Amino acid sequence: MVVGDASIDIDTLVVGAGPGGYVAAIRAAQLGQKVLIVDKSELGGVCLNRGCIPSKALISAAHQYESAQHADAFGITAENVKVDFKKTQEFKNGVVKKMTQGVSGLLKGNKVEVFSGEVMFINDSEARCFNEHESPRYRFKNCILATGSRPIELKPFPFGGRILSSTEALELQEIPGSLVVIGGGYIGAELGQMFSKFGTKVTIIEGMDSVLPGFDKDMTRLVAKNMAKTGIEIVANAKAESAEQTDKNVTVKYSVNGESKEITADYLLVTVGRRPNTDGDLGLDLAGVELTDRGLVKVDHQGRTSNPKIFAIGDIVAGPALAHKASYEGKVAAEAISGLPSVVDYKAIPAVVFTDPECSSVGYTEKEAKEKGFNVKAGKFPFAGNGRATSLNQPDGFIKIVANADNNVVLGAQIVGIEASNLIAELGLAVEMGATLEDISLTIHAHPTLGEIVMETAELVEGHPIHVIAR
């Protein structure tokens, strides 16, 4: 019990219980720290509740629906295939519940104290945690900020009604007849393609010349091809300007090469990026935490801020807004607090997009490696040359490996095709450990598996491929 307004002493305060925060809290507790984690919403943060996990559950359901409709290549025909979207949403919610309950059990098992509420810093080593029932005050030896991010809201397209962020889109209780998506990045591409597979007429308005602008064009070309198969229209090099909504639809005005156009749909989904949660009433100024002009927290190689007692991780620091990046940074920060020599090294952090086909990348692209001054050699092996991919009727795609021509060390890799999200792990390990092409090609891969494509690509780059003709 606390007498009056005295502060409770703790070792580590973690602000935010997303994939960065809860991982940091668990790792800190494993290292002997007395840890309090605070979040005003659900355990698991955006990722488990309103982002990664629910979106992948709905994407999986969309794949199942499409497969049931189009299995004739296998000699399987199903009639009257229907979607009960209420049950689909129940499935998604069940997945989310299992995952968040799992996080709760992990925190409890590691003796991490959980406070449901908000945090406001009082000074550089004290903070008040509060909700509608209580407002205890804590004095911390160290703190890890993991407050995450939220969808960027554009002034011409305020969220509400039929103008949706990704959060509302994942909660729709009906399959829209039509949907306009502003932004063809990974969120817009994933959700747009998911709804399209369920039968929605989707139009993507993208400011760049293709969807998924962060990936190589030969990868995104395959995604655009599959989008066209389900009727998605991609309007590239376009500028969205305004929207007017009624209780039945929303009309979006945009321009392409100076020509004004408009389109009307049931809903408008705006996915133009995310904004760090460093504003509001956190009191970071009172804590002596410096921000950049973009609202990101300035940190060093261990995640330490301008206040040496406070660390920051995840979407509120520089770099891509990825859940696995946040988890990695959380472990580094927790270990740094415990005096371990852990530092952040981003060279092997993968990027994955759950489009159809999936795209993934790790390390350098061929262009990036050349810009860094490496003597580069690279090669692509097609999924069509793999027995497992062909037997799955998924022959589209390739794996590309980028290596240092001077010593055959793997510098990076890109994958587009079925299970690209899983296949990238082996190549991420190769980049992390400084493996060579020979390390991969001499590793016996089980047959018939998709993993063989990794081995075949390494052999191709070495110059002695088996299942394609060397050129």
Side-chain angles (χ1 to χ4, degrees):
M1 296 294 292
V2 182
V3 179
D5 200 32
S7 293
I8 306 169
D9 288 319
I10 58 171
D11 292 332
T12 302
L13 170 66
V14 179
V15 185
Y22 83 74
V23 169
I26 290 172
R27 185 69 184 117
Q30 289 174 343
L31 292 167
Q33 299 168 35
K34 180 182 178 183
V35 183
L36 169 70
I37 189 168
V38 183
D39 200 301
K40 64 181 179 181
S41 56
E42 309 92 341
L43 294 176
V46 170
C47 177
L48 265 64
N49 293 278
R50 301 177 298 283
C52 313
I53 300 304
S55 66
K56 302 316 168 283
L58 292 180
I59 288 169
S60 295
H63 281 315
Q64 292 289 338
Y65 180 55
E66 183 184 45
S67 296
Q69 290 179 302
H70 304 290
D72 51 300
F74 299 98
I76 299 171
T77 303
E79 298 180 359
N80 300 318
V81 179
K82 297 178 181 179
V83 179
D84 183 338
F85 203 61
K86 182 179 179 181
K87 284 189 176 180
T88 303
Q89 286 287 14
E90 289 174 356
F91 164 74
K92 178 210 75 178
N93 293 336
V95 171
V96 169
K97 185 177 181 180
K98 287 178 184 177
M99 297 300 292
T100 54
Q101 287 178 339
V103 171
S104 178
L106 289 169
L107 291 170
K108 183 177 181 180
N110 283 278
K111 297 180 173 56
V112 175
E113 183 182 351
V114 178
F115 184 91
S116 180
E118 300 186 58
V119 169
M120 183 170 67
F121 289 97
I122 300 169
N123 54 49
D124 66 352
S125 59
E126 290 181 291
R128 188 177 296 281
C129 301
F130 59 94
N131 55 33
E132 58 185 27
H133 304 295
E134 54 185 330
S135 57
R137 178 170 166 164
Y138 291 90
R139 181 185 297 110
F140 54 84
K141 294 179 182 177
N142 290 284
C143 173
I144 299 175
L145 295 173
T147 52
S149 63
R150 62 187 184 277
I152 291 175
E153 184 175 25
L154 301 175
K155 286 185 178 180
F157 311 102
F159 296 138
R162 293 183 174 271
I163 301 178
L164 315 173
S165 72
S166 56
T167 300
E168 294 82 41
L170 292 171
E171 292 296 325
L172 285 177
Q173 297 302 302
E174 61 180 2
I175 298 172
S178 54
L179 175 71
V180 173
V181 181
I182 295 178
Y186 71 96
I187 297 175
E190 285 183 354
L191 297 188
Q193 204 167 24
M194 178 268 289
F195 279 116
S196 180
K197 288 177 182 289
F198 279 130
T200 303
K201 173 63 179 121
V202 175
T203 303
I204 297 177
I205 298 174
E206 168 56 41
M208 305 295 284
D209 59 0
S210 68
V211 294
L212 302 176
F215 285 86
D216 287 350
K217 291 289 179 65
D218 49 357
M219 299 172 71
T220 60
R221 196 175 296 115
L222 285 174
V223 176
K225 177 184 173 183
N226 268 16
M227 285 181 167
K229 287 181 181 179
T230 56
I232 294 179
E233 181 183 0
I234 301 170
V235 184
N237 299 307
K239 180 182 179 181
E241 296 170 343
S242 65
E244 294 182 7
Q245 62 175 309
T246 67
D247 59 349
K248 294 183 179 181
N249 55 46
V250 57
T251 299
V252 181
K253 293 184 179 180
Y254 64 97
S255 61
V256 181
N257 298 322
E259 183 181 352
S260 296
K261 298 176 179 290
E262 67 176 45
I263 183 172
T264 299
D266 293 346
Y267 292 95
L268 168 63
L269 170 58
V270 181
T271 59
V272 293
R274 300 186 66 83
R275 187 185 310 281
N277 292 327
T278 54
D279 49 4
D281 299 322
L282 263 175
L284 294 181
D285 54 337
L286 297 175
V289 174
E290 294 181 9
L291 305 178
T292 69
D293 55 3
R294 294 178 51 217
L296 296 171
V297 180
K298 296 179 181 179
V299 294
D300 68 7
H301 60 291
Q302 290 188 306
R304 190 178 288 101
T305 71
S306 51
N307 178 345
K309 298 177 182 178
I310 299 179
F311 292 69
I313 63 173
D315 294 3
I316 61 173
V317 301
L322 300 170
H324 46 279
K325 168 181 171 288
S327 297
Y328 167 71
E329 291 169 341
K331 285 182 275 190
V332 170
E335 291 167 1
I337 288 171
S338 294
L340 298 178
S342 303
V343 296
V344 169
D345 180 1
Y346 294 129
K347 75 175 183 179
I349 286 188
V352 176
V353 181
F354 291 84
T355 47
D356 183 10
E358 293 179 353
C359 298
S360 60
S361 179
V362 69
Y364 293 133
T365 64
E366 184 174 2
K367 179 182 177 183
E368 290 169 342
K370 288 178 179 177
E371 290 173 347
K372 291 288 184 179
F374 289 103
N375 180 18
V376 173
K377 63 178 179 180
K380 296 190 295 186
F381 189 93
F383 274 56
N386 175 262
R388 180 59 175 156
T390 303
S391 67
L392 290 168
N393 197 31
Q394 297 285 345
D396 292 338
F398 60 82
I399 293 181
K400 179 177 182 178
I401 293 179
V402 180
N404 186 337
D406 297 332
N407 54 19
N408 278 355
V409 169
V410 177
L411 300 174
Q414 296 78 47
I415 307 176
V416 57
I418 184 173
E419 295 292 341
S421 58
N422 291 319
L423 291 169
I424 200 66
E426 179 180 355
L427 289 158
L429 177 61
V431 172
E432 173 64 31
M433 68 183 290
T436 64
L437 295 169
E438 291 85 356
D439 290 324
I440 296 174
S441 63
L442 292 175
T443 299
I444 300 172
H445 289 64
H447 175 78
T449 63
L450 296 172
E452 288 178 283
I453 310 175
V454 178
M455 176 187 70
E456 301 260 22
T457 309
E459 292 176 339
L460 172 66
V461 180
E462 287 181 277
H464 53 83
I466 301 300
H467 290 105
V468 293
I469 305 298
R471 298 185 186 279

